[in-house]
Amino acid sequence: MAAALENELDNEDYYSLLNVRREATQEELKASYRRLCMLYHPDKHRDPELKLQAEQLFNLVHQAYEVLSDPQSRAIYDIFGKRGLEVEGWEVVERKRTPAEIREEYERLQRERDERRLQQRTNPKGTISVAVDATDLFDRYEEDYEDTPAGGFPHIEINRMHISQSIEAPLTAKDTAVLAGSLSTHNGNGGGNINLSLRRVTSARGWGEIEFGAGDTRGPLFGLKVFRNITPRCFVTAQCGLQFSSRGVRPSASTMWARHLDQNTMGYLQWRWGTQSAMTTSIVRDTKTSHCTLAMQLGVPHSYLMMSYQYKFQDEDQTKIKGSLKTGFFGTVVEYGAERKISQHSVLSATVSIGVPQGVSLKLRLNRASQTYLFPIHLTDQLLPSAVFYATVGPLVMYLAVQKLIIIPYVRSQKEQDLEKQRENSASDVARKKQEAESAVLLMQESVKRIIDGEESKMGLIILNAWYGKFVTDNSRKNERAKVIDVTVPLQCLVKDSKLFLAESSKAGLPGFYDPCVGEEKSLKLLYQFRGAMHQVLSGDTEDLRIPKQSHRIEPDT
């Protein structure tokens, strides 16, 4: 919102000022320019003050026409805005180029800026996982209470933690270095490792990577990895590595072949050789409403057949409800949960997992930009209805409480602060625009009288009342004050041959208009008379408007 506001205040909307479409032809521009020149020409006003005001508005209209009538200037304005025309010591492009060449030059400059940003970007990614063992809440035995006064408190502990972080450092347009590290602990035992990878894009169809690693639980690691697009629908990855330890050298290798079976279905065939050799084949189908996986693995020591189906439901508030069924030689697992976007960069999700022999678990996940926070909570090893109930209801109740008591008030407060800051920053600009609008209305008075006389003589279009700004119609917002300005005169001045057309752009740039509520949603409300009948219409700020229309007619008793 702040960026849009800055753009709105820094650049005059020449299209809105001339009341023309962005695709307007030279004839349309010329017709609108001539009409505004007749209205604001300084020689038509004898009063010194009105003459000065008319001269300022006349120059502004002339400047807008000069820019939009010249193809080169118009192309620069469409891309860069008014700032692109203010060349002080630097040239955006050569002025003799065609509009197409100007756009190509802009795209080239944009690519160069993107490359410079790429050199500075580290793209940090991180994951923090904290596993909680809460089985004592549901799996306590009676003898546990015999020696503990009043039953005691359930024993809840953190039995596993994992922290990983990685950063990327682009070396050239094709080479990238990735530094990653991780720390893990499980039941009091832990370790860590660090890895450095160098990746090079060899062509548009593939890349290669060299990896070096070391850790306290494992020895030095050396690995190679390659990726290659065989066809537009098929790709292959292959990797090999050498793990050095006190027990000797442990080689490993793997390769995966993948193919698009159709628009939403992928097939995978993977072979892995090493300490846990296996061959796996899987088919994955992912659509907007479902995700289905069928996989089979034959290996040492693990072999399994797994089938998973997940149904996805998403509402207008970006809330997704998911459910899945997984079964195989390892058992059966039923999972269901919800995911919701709580801010521009944050997604919160909760998943309940019920399985045999895994038991009942609750998995909480928060994605914040490129950081991921995981909290798997193991509730019970058995299938207990009480554990399922609390795992389902608990996160929902907690989320609703936090949403109502913390998130909603915080977001509302932030919006109010941003809006107040915008108003303060734009106060001087709004005051200037308001003065220009009032001057324009004074200059329109005589023209409006002539237009009204002409329209009344043929029972044409008469603007009785017109307001522009923020209207409060919701009963829940009665404490808010409407912020509107009277634009009856400016709109009547735009009537020609009993017709009024407003282009598809913000009305704040029209002659005689200004923005009475910066940063807020605005509308235009008109009450007009045509052929002796009353009409009324409410139009959005950026919507085009054509009147009169039969659908705007209101009954006399309304």
Side-chain angles (χ1 to χ4, degrees):
M1 181 183 291
L5 175 66
E6 182 181 355
N7 184 67
E8 176 183 341
L9 297 180
D10 289 343
N11 293 311
E12 298 282 355
D13 190 345
Y14 289 156
Y15 291 99
S16 181
L17 178 63
L18 298 180
N19 191 29
V20 293
R21 302 173 296 115
R22 288 194 168 268
E23 303 81 15
T25 62
Q26 290 292 334
E27 290 73 17
E28 292 173 334
L29 288 171
K30 187 177 295 184
S32 179
Y33 172 65
R34 286 178 176 176
R35 186 177 185 189
L36 291 175
C37 284
M38 293 177 61
L39 179 64
Y40 295 137
H41 201 286
D43 294 342
K44 297 184 63 177
H45 304 277
R46 297 181 180 179
D47 184 271
E49 185 175 351
L50 289 179
K51 191 179 186 69
L52 179 62
Q53 295 171 353
E55 185 176 354
Q56 294 174 351
L57 293 172
F58 181 83
N59 291 336
L60 184 59
V61 171
H62 181 68
Q63 181 183 12
Y65 177 71
E66 276 194 334
V67 170
L68 299 184
S69 61
D70 179 69
Q72 285 78 20
S73 298
R74 185 173 181 176
I76 296 174
Y77 176 78
D78 288 344
I79 298 172
F80 297 99
K82 189 178 178 181
R83 288 182 176 180
L85 302 168
E86 299 171 352
V87 285
E88 298 178 357
W90 62 276
E91 288 287 343
V92 178
V93 289
E94 296 179 12
R95 293 307 181 94
K96 294 182 180 180
R97 295 190 179 185
T98 65
E101 291 174 335
I102 292 174
R103 295 182 186 274
E104 290 177 3
E105 179 72 8
Y106 168 74
E107 292 174 357
R108 186 187 67 80
L109 295 174
Q110 185 67 35
R111 285 195 298 269
E112 291 181 357
R113 284 194 294 268
D114 292 341
E115 289 182 3
R116 288 194 296 269
R117 292 173 183 172
L118 182 65
Q119 300 296 330
Q120 302 171 354
R121 186 181 64 193
T122 58
N123 191 25
K125 297 180 182 178
T127 300
I128 297 178
S129 177
V130 180
V132 179
D133 184 358
T135 55
D136 203 38
L137 286 171
F138 301 97
D139 288 348
R140 304 184 72 182
Y141 295 95
E142 294 295 333
E143 53 265 26
D144 293 340
Y145 296 91
E146 294 178 358
D147 300 328
T148 305
F153 291 100
H155 182 63
I156 300 176
E157 63 177 1
I158 296 175
N159 59 2
R160 182 183 295 134
M161 291 186 64
H162 176 78
I163 300 175
S164 64
Q165 186 73 28
S166 69
I167 58 172
E168 296 181 1
L171 305 178
T172 66
K174 293 185 177 182
D175 299 325
T176 303
V178 181
L179 181 64
S182 66
L183 293 172
S184 300
T185 177
H186 184 112
N187 292 331
N189 299 318
N193 61 77
I194 187 170
N195 295 77
L196 174 63
S197 302
L198 299 175
R199 177 180 297 181
R200 183 180 183 85
V201 178
T202 56
S203 67
R205 301 177 62 182
W207 49 264
E209 183 178 281
I210 302 176
E211 180 183 8
F212 304 91
D216 56 355
T217 57
R218 298 181 300 176
L221 169 70
F222 172 76
L224 295 173
K225 185 176 182 180
V226 295
F227 169 87
R228 181 73 175 179
N229 276 314
I230 306 301
T231 67
R233 299 172 60 87
C234 177
F235 67 87
V236 174
T237 62
Q239 59 182 4
C240 61
L242 295 175
Q243 181 75 58
F244 300 89
S245 66
S246 58
R247 299 180 181 180
V249 180
R250 295 182 178 180
S252 63
S254 67
T255 181
M256 183 185 70
W257 177 80
R259 179 179 176 81
H260 288 272
L261 303 180
D262 61 33
Q263 185 177 2
N264 300 308
T265 307
M266 289 287 297
Y268 299 91
L269 182 62
Q270 183 178 16
W271 172 77
R272 186 172 65 249
W273 174 75
T275 56
Q276 294 185 350
S277 300
M279 178 169 284
T280 307
T281 181
S282 60
I283 297 176
V284 179
R285 180 172 178 80
D286 191 11
T287 65
K288 291 183 179 180
T289 59
S290 65
H291 181 92
C292 182
T293 303
L294 178 63
M296 181 179 67
Q297 175 174 301
L298 298 176
V300 179
H302 301 295
S303 297
Y304 64 83
L305 174 66
M306 190 269 286
M307 180 177 61
S308 170
Y309 179 80
Q310 184 180 86
Y311 177 77
K312 297 179 288 187
F313 168 79
Q314 181 173 351
D315 62 8
E316 296 179 356
D317 295 330
Q318 294 186 320
T319 300
K320 299 179 181 178
I321 298 177
K322 302 179 180 180
S324 67
L325 172 65
K326 302 177 182 178
T327 184
F329 297 154
F330 53 81
T332 301
V333 178
V334 176
E335 290 186 344
Y336 58 89
E339 177 183 293
R340 183 179 178 86
K341 187 174 183 180
I342 58 177
S343 70
Q344 184 178 1
H345 303 289
S346 301
V347 177
L348 179 65
S349 65
T351 304
V352 179
S353 178
I354 307 168
V356 178
Q358 291 86 354
V360 181
S361 298
L362 172 63
K363 303 173 185 177
L364 302 177
R365 181 187 185 101
L366 174 64
N367 290 335
R368 172 69 178 173
S370 59
Q371 302 295 315
T372 301
Y373 305 90
L374 298 171
F375 300 94
I377 305 172
H378 188 50
L379 300 177
T380 174
D381 295 324
Q382 308 175 48
L383 298 183
L384 299 179
S386 58
V388 176
F389 174 79
Y390 285 110
T392 304
V393 177
L396 180 60
V397 173
M398 183 178 298
Y399 171 76
L400 293 177
V402 172
Q403 176 83 358
K404 186 174 182 180
L405 300 178
I406 299 177
I407 296 179
I408 293 179
Y410 174 77
V411 172
R412 185 186 298 119
S413 176
Q414 286 296 112
K415 287 184 177 180
E416 292 176 353
Q417 291 179 10
D418 293 343
L419 189 58
E420 187 62 30
K421 188 175 181 179
Q422 292 173 14
R423 290 169 181 166
E424 292 176 359
N425 295 337
S426 61
S428 59
D429 189 82
V430 171
R432 178 179 62 84
K433 296 285 184 65
K434 180 180 179 181
Q435 184 177 5
E436 291 178 358
E438 291 173 347
S439 300
V441 170
L442 289 176
L443 298 173
M444 295 176 185
Q445 295 293 339
E446 293 185 7
S447 297
V448 167
K449 291 179 181 178
R450 291 196 300 270
I451 293 173
I452 292 178
D453 291 340
E455 294 295 326
E456 286 181 343
S457 64
K458 56 183 178 181
M459 296 186 67
L461 179 59
I462 306 294
I463 308 296
L464 301 177
N465 290 107
W467 302 272
Y468 173 70
K470 177 184 177 183
F471 298 89
V472 179
T473 57
D474 190 349
N475 292 332
S476 63
R477 299 159 58 193
K478 285 183 176 179
N479 58 330
E480 296 186 28
R481 182 173 58 90
K483 303 170 185 177
V484 297
I485 58 174
D486 189 340
V487 291
T488 306
V489 172
L491 288 183
Q492 185 68 65
C493 193
L494 294 175
V495 173
K496 183 179 181 181
D497 298 329
S498 299
K499 294 179 181 179
L500 173 63
F501 167 71
L502 300 181
E504 189 177 356
S505 60
S506 176
K507 309 299 184 293
L510 291 170
F513 281 62
Y514 70 93
D515 192 342
C517 46
V518 176
E520 299 185 64
E521 186 176 351
K522 294 171 282 291
S523 303
L524 176 64
K525 187 174 183 179
L526 286 87
L527 179 66
Y528 64 92
Q529 181 176 307
F530 180 71
R531 297 288 189 262
M534 302 292 291
H535 297 69
Q536 182 173 295
V537 61
L538 181 65
S539 174
D541 183 28
T542 58
E543 297 176 1
D544 63 338
L545 178 64
R546 297 176 183 271
I547 61 174
K549 280 189 176 181
Q550 183 66 27
S551 58
H552 299 164
R553 183 168 179 171
I554 58 178
E555 298 300 327
D557 56 345
T558 302

